Amino acid sequence: MNAPGGNGGRILLAITAAAALGLGAYLLFFASGRDLSPEAPPPASPADDTPVPATTPPPDAETTRDTQPSPPAVPSQIPTAAAQPELPPLTESDAEIRSALRSLLGDGALREWLDEDQLAQRITSQVNGLQKGVFVPETLLLAPPPGEFQVERRAGGIYPSTDNYRRYDTLVALILGIDVAATAEIFHRYRPLLEQAYGQLGLPPEQFDAAVLEAIDHLLATPEPGPAPELVAESVAYRYADPQLEALGSARKQLLRTGPAHVSALKAWLRELREALTTHPSGAD
C-alpha cells in the first residue's frame, strides 16, 4: 500500500535545499527516493496494532499539483547585488556550480546528483515545479530513508505510525545543517546563470527570484494537522481521510510525512533561509 503523498526519500532534501538556494528545489524535498517495496497489502482488519509495511509509488504529476494557493508573503523579491562576479557561460558553468555546492553540502549523499550535467537547468526546473507544489523525484539521485512506510490500526481507524518520523531524522538533520547565509551567498553569486536557465524554460528570467520565494512560501503554508492524521485504505494505496489534506500537492504531503517535530524545525529553517535571501547582499541595489 502507498503512503499518502508518496515518494519518500529524496524529495524532502531536494525541496529544502533547492528552495533554499534558489539553486533549486533540489537541495527541501531532497528526499524522494521511494519507499518502494512491492509487498502484498496488509489484511483488512488485523487483530492488533502492529505497524503494517506499505509501499510508496511515485505520485502522478497531474494529480499532485496543489490546488490551494499559498498566502502572499513579503518581501516578494530578492535584492540584486550591484557588482556581479565574472561567471562562465551557462553552457560551461557545471564545474564552478558543482564546486560551490560541494563546499556547501559536502560530497556524500549528493555525490551522484553533483556529477550530473546542466546543474543550473536542473535546479531551475525543480524550483519551477516546487513553486506549483509538484515534485519530479526521478531526477533526484538520493537513497530513500531506511525502512518502509508503516500504519497502525486502532479504534477502528488507520493512522500513520509515529515510527515513520524517525526514518527522516538523518535527512532532516542534514537539511537543518545547511548554512542559510552561505546558501544565500551562492544564490546571489550564481543568480545570473540561474536566471538564464530559468529563461530557457520559456519563463521570464527576471522572475526567478519570485519563483524561489514562492516555492519557500508554498512549503511554509503547509498545514500541521497533528501527529497522526487518519488515513483511508484503498485497493493499492492510502489517502488522507481529511479531504483538505488529501487535496494538498505532493510537496506539502511529503513535508507532512516527516512528522510534526520535523515540520516545525524545517519551517523555522525555511524562514531563516527566506530572510537570508531577502536581506540586501553587500553592494545590493
Side-chain angles (χ1 to χ4, degrees):
M1 291 206 166
N2 309 334
N7 292 320
R10 303 171 213 166
I11 294 181
L12 178 57
L13 182 53
I15 294 181
T16 306
L21 297 176
L23 287 181
Y26 253 89
L27 306 169
L28 187 50
F29 282 12
F30 205 151
S32 166
R34 307 190 168 178
D35 289 342
L36 282 176
S37 177
E39 298 184 7
S45 301
D48 56 52
D49 292 342
T50 303
V52 182
T55 64
T56 305
D60 183 278
E62 294 302 317
T63 60
T64 55
R65 182 181 299 274
D66 206 326
T67 57
Q68 299 184 7
S70 301
V74 177
S76 60
Q77 293 182 321
I78 299 174
T80 58
Q84 288 289 347
E86 183 177 350
L87 296 172
L90 179 60
T91 55
E92 301 173 12
S93 64
D94 283 337
E96 185 167 331
I97 292 177
R98 183 177 296 116
S99 177
L101 290 178
R102 280 191 171 128
S103 68
L104 177 68
L105 303 167
D107 194 23
L110 283 178
R111 183 178 65 255
E112 287 188 59
W113 179 74
L114 288 172
D115 287 337
E116 295 289 303
D117 295 329
Q118 297 185 311
L119 289 174
Q121 291 90 335
R122 292 173 184 276
I123 287 168
T124 54
S125 178
Q126 288 292 328
V127 171
N128 182 47
L130 181 57
Q131 179 189 11
K132 300 176 177 66
V134 177
F135 282 126
V136 186
E138 289 78 9
T139 62
L140 305 176
L141 305 176
L142 284 177
E148 298 171 339
F149 181 74
Q150 306 285 324
V151 298
E152 296 174 353
R153 287 176 167 81
R154 59 179 184 272
I158 305 174
Y159 303 87
S161 170
T162 55
D163 290 343
N164 290 315
Y165 305 148
R166 289 192 290 272
R167 299 168 60 221
Y168 292 93
D169 286 352
T170 299
L171 182 61
V172 172
L174 177 58
I175 296 168
L176 298 181
I178 297 173
D179 188 303
V180 295
T183 295
E185 288 179 8
I186 289 178
F187 173 85
H188 288 300
R189 177 176 179 82
Y190 296 105
R191 179 173 181 166
L193 295 177
L194 295 168
E195 289 179 342
Q196 289 180 50
Y198 193 64
Q200 290 182 350
L201 298 175
L203 300 167
E206 69 277 6
Q207 293 181 14
F208 180 65
D209 64 327
V212 171
L213 295 181
E214 287 173 16
I216 293 174
D217 292 339
H218 182 85
L219 294 172
L220 288 175
T222 301
E224 299 182 44
E230 187 174 0
L231 306 176
V232 174
E234 296 184 331
S235 59
V236 294
Y238 290 118
R239 61 178 174 82
Y240 287 113
D242 184 337
Q244 291 186 327
L245 293 181
E246 184 58 29
L248 295 175
S250 58
R252 287 174 173 169
K253 283 182 177 179
Q254 178 61 48
L255 183 56
L256 287 179
R257 290 190 67 202
T258 67
H262 288 156
V263 169
S264 179
L266 288 169
K267 283 188 173 184
W269 184 87
L270 283 171
R271 292 186 189 99
E272 290 183 15
L273 174 63
R274 195 185 201 286
E275 182 177 358
L277 287 169
T278 55
T279 298
H280 279 245
S282 176
D285 294 342

